[in-house]
Amino acid sequence: MAELKYISGFGNECASEDPRCPGALPEGQNNPQVCPYNLYAEQLSGSAFTCPRSSNKRSWLYRILPSVSHKPFESIDQGHVTHNWDEVDPDPNQLRWKPFEIPKTSQKKVDFVNGLHTLCGAGDIRSNNGLAVHIFLCNTSMGNRCFYSSDGDFLIVPQKGKLLIYTEFGKMLVQPNEICVIQRGMRFSIDVFEETRGYILEVYGVHFELPDLGPIGANGLANPRDFLIPVAWYEDHQAPGGYTVINKYQGKMFAAKQDVSPFNVVAWHGNYTPYKYNLENFMVINSVAFDHADPSIFTVLTAKSVRPGVAIADFVIFPPRWGVADKTFRPPYYHRNCMSEFMGLIKGHYEAKQGGFLPGGGSLHSPMTPHGPDADCFEKASKAKLAPERIADGTMAFMFESSLSMAVTKWGLKTSNCLDENYYKCWEPLKSHFTPNSRNPAGTN
């Protein structure tokens, strides 16, 4: 496969033409009476027309046929995709899942859409307020099928197996330890090359942004130049039996047939695009004296709510870094949080729990549910010699954090058969070290 090309930058106003059709972008206007190469002009709006310019999202696509050229949508089996947050009773316990099982190719072929499973979520799609966490488990490419969500943006985190993603804007290759965002309404199809697994954070009604840096300054965390946008690429052919366009609308699944490829965009310009990002490019901020900075310093992307400083969802990572804090318990502290914290592991071992929390699995700590290092981690870290040390080398854990209280689906609690019923036991060996007669026990740093 030839190396793919990209445009660099986050949220930029970009323009791209497939080199097979130079000059395909109209000059000086968006919607001429006749477009170059007799293409159709189509606008894709990701925000209300009247949004402030700083948050106004739209792109113009110049395509062989407009996307309206399809048969009527009909309801199809939605599999394990749901937005019903009342399937099962709430569970405030600490929850952990073993690696979600990928279907074997020899048993059943499952593509990305058929392999979508909603794990948890909150809010309401119809009012454009909320989020969902999905797991994808697949073993075959989508072929002449494409998918789009009318409900929200997909932040996709592949954990096992690379994804070749065809979009209306071009192609992206997304490997484990990279992420991509395919925004609301954008059609895409995914090729896989092995049994494949990953995580999805879907947000309703808002888009992901780079977090404000405040006193950090102008540089740091995820730098805008490291986000990559695909360049225009089109295909112009018909497939036997046509193409199937699958739409997730109000949490339900629908399908429509059309004769031509949905990826028939010859040129485009705008600031509403898909994009990808390599997590290795994250510039880590950390404490260099004592104590912890809060994990918000590891935020890659945020989807803001209407309340200042409060997110519908944050995407946070825990990358390799140096730990140098003096006189400090260095692993994550014990915590009760007003936020929901879903964690996943792409590779390696998470620093606060060396066992049990495995790549391809996950955990959910709901609002005000206590969590923190397991007993073994506490004992080792409390006695460790505090010298500069590398933390999380060969590891990448991440967190989807939300201000909403997420409900777990029936698939997550029961059908998946991956819930770790013994998770709570990792804290049972914790014991009291209280010394009422000695404020400064021997051996403390």
Side-chain angles (χ1 to χ4, degrees):
M1 180 173 59
E3 184 176 355
L4 300 180
K5 296 181 179 180
Y6 300 92
I7 302 168
S8 171
F10 185 88
N12 291 356
E13 186 76 25
C14 299
S16 184
E17 299 174 339
D18 189 304
R20 291 172 287 177
C21 294
L25 284 169
E27 294 183 9
Q29 65 179 120
N30 295 323
N31 195 18
Q33 185 177 19
V34 179
C35 293
Y37 297 97
N38 288 304
L39 297 170
Y40 288 86
E42 177 179 287
Q43 183 175 200
L44 178 61
S45 294
S47 64
F49 293 144
T50 52
C51 276
R53 183 166 289 203
S54 61
S55 59
N56 207 301
K57 304 293 183 185
R58 63 89 180 93
S59 286
W60 280 92
L61 312 179
Y62 300 93
R63 55 195 317 152
I64 296 166
L65 275 174
S67 57
V68 73
S69 300
H70 62 78
K71 302 294 185 184
F73 280 99
E74 297 180 357
S75 179
I76 61 172
D77 182 4
Q78 65 188 78
H80 293 287
V81 174
T82 184
H83 70 300
N84 179 4
W85 310 131
D86 297 311
E87 285 184 318
V88 291
D89 290 336
D91 188 341
N93 287 301
Q94 302 94 347
L95 301 176
R96 183 168 71 187
W97 289 271
K98 303 170 187 177
F100 297 101
E101 192 171 333
I102 309 170
K104 299 294 183 184
T105 308
S106 58
Q107 296 175 349
K108 183 181 180 182
K109 289 188 176 182
V110 179
D111 69 11
F112 174 84
V113 174
N114 291 336
L116 286 172
H117 302 74
T118 307
L119 183 67
C120 55
D124 179 62
I125 292 173
R126 294 178 185 177
S127 63
N128 285 325
N129 181 54
L131 76 162
V133 175
H134 310 285
I135 306 297
F136 66 90
L137 307 164
C138 56
N139 56 34
T140 194
S141 299
M142 289 176 63
N144 295 327
R145 286 157 47 97
C146 75
F147 174 83
Y148 71 100
S149 174
S150 292
D151 299 333
D153 291 8
F154 270 31
L155 189 158
I156 300 175
V157 185
Q159 183 272 320
K160 181 181 184 297
K162 62 186 177 182
L163 311 176
L164 177 59
I165 306 179
Y166 300 81
T167 79
E168 295 171 278
F169 294 79
K171 295 185 284 187
M172 298 187 293
L173 183 64
V174 185
Q175 313 223 35
N177 224 42
E178 295 182 317
I179 63 164
C180 73
V181 172
I182 300 178
Q183 304 195 72
R184 184 181 182 187
M186 296 177 181
R187 297 179 176 187
F188 66 96
S189 182
I190 294 182
D191 282 358
V192 300
F193 305 90
E194 60 180 292
E195 293 171 355
T196 302
R197 176 174 54 208
Y199 312 83
I200 298 170
L201 171 59
E202 183 181 20
V203 293
Y204 311 144
V206 291
H207 300 300
F208 290 102
E209 306 174 33
L210 294 175
D212 296 324
L213 294 181
I216 293 174
N219 306 288
L221 309 187
N223 289 309
R225 66 176 294 197
D226 294 322
F227 288 82
L228 301 177
I229 299 164
V231 297
W233 171 87
Y234 75 91
E235 58 182 9
D236 179 21
H237 63 79
Q238 298 184 352
Y243 289 82
T244 302
V245 180
I246 301 167
N247 176 211
K248 187 171 88 69
Y249 174 72
Q250 295 189 8
K252 304 291 185 180
M253 302 292 267
F254 300 84
K257 286 285 189 179
Q258 65 183 52
D259 294 331
V260 299
S261 169
F263 309 117
N264 63 1
V265 177
V266 177
W268 60 265
H269 75 84
N271 63 355
Y272 190 54
T273 68
Y275 53 88
K276 64 174 250 182
Y277 176 75
N278 190 329
L279 300 180
E280 292 182 0
N281 291 327
F282 189 81
M283 197 278 264
V284 183
I285 303 290
N286 207 0
S287 171
V288 295
F290 62 90
D291 275 354
H292 282 268
D294 290 323
S296 48
I297 61 170
F298 301 128
T299 301
V300 179
L301 292 168
T302 184
K304 296 177 180 178
S305 75
V306 296
R307 291 182 289 165
V310 179
I312 294 293
D314 288 327
F315 174 60
V316 179
I317 62 172
F318 301 94
R321 59 198 183 276
W322 281 98
V324 298
D326 197 19
K327 295 183 284 188
T328 298
F329 180 78
R330 290 180 178 174
Y333 44 73
Y334 292 98
H335 194 203
R336 289 181 295 164
N337 194 357
C338 63
M339 311 282 276
S340 298
E341 300 180 15
F342 173 83
M343 285 195 63
L345 185 60
I346 299 171
K347 60 180 180 177
H349 303 276
Y350 179 52
E351 60 209 78
K353 295 180 182 68
Q354 292 290 320
F357 184 53
L358 301 174
S363 67
L364 177 65
H365 299 138
S366 296
M368 296 306 171
T369 293
H371 53 278
D374 62 23
D376 184 58
C377 177
F378 177 83
E379 294 297 332
K380 289 179 179 178
S382 298
K383 300 170 184 175
K385 182 179 179 181
L386 294 181
E389 62 177 337
R390 291 291 296 170
I391 298 172
D393 277 340
T395 289
M396 187 63 75
F398 69 87
M399 179 167 63
F400 300 153
E401 185 176 59
S402 175
S403 60
L404 303 183
S405 183
M406 292 196 283
V408 182
T409 63
K410 182 179 179 181
W411 181 82
L413 286 178
K414 299 177 181 179
T415 315
S416 69
N417 292 318
C418 291
L419 192 66
D420 184 353
E421 302 287 355
N422 296 315
Y423 182 28
Y424 71 95
K425 292 181 179 179
C426 74
W427 293 290
E428 283 193 332
L430 288 168
K431 57 186 179 181
S432 171
H433 295 280
F434 182 46
T435 55
N437 298 317
S438 175
R439 182 178 182 275
N440 297 306
T444 57
N445 292 293

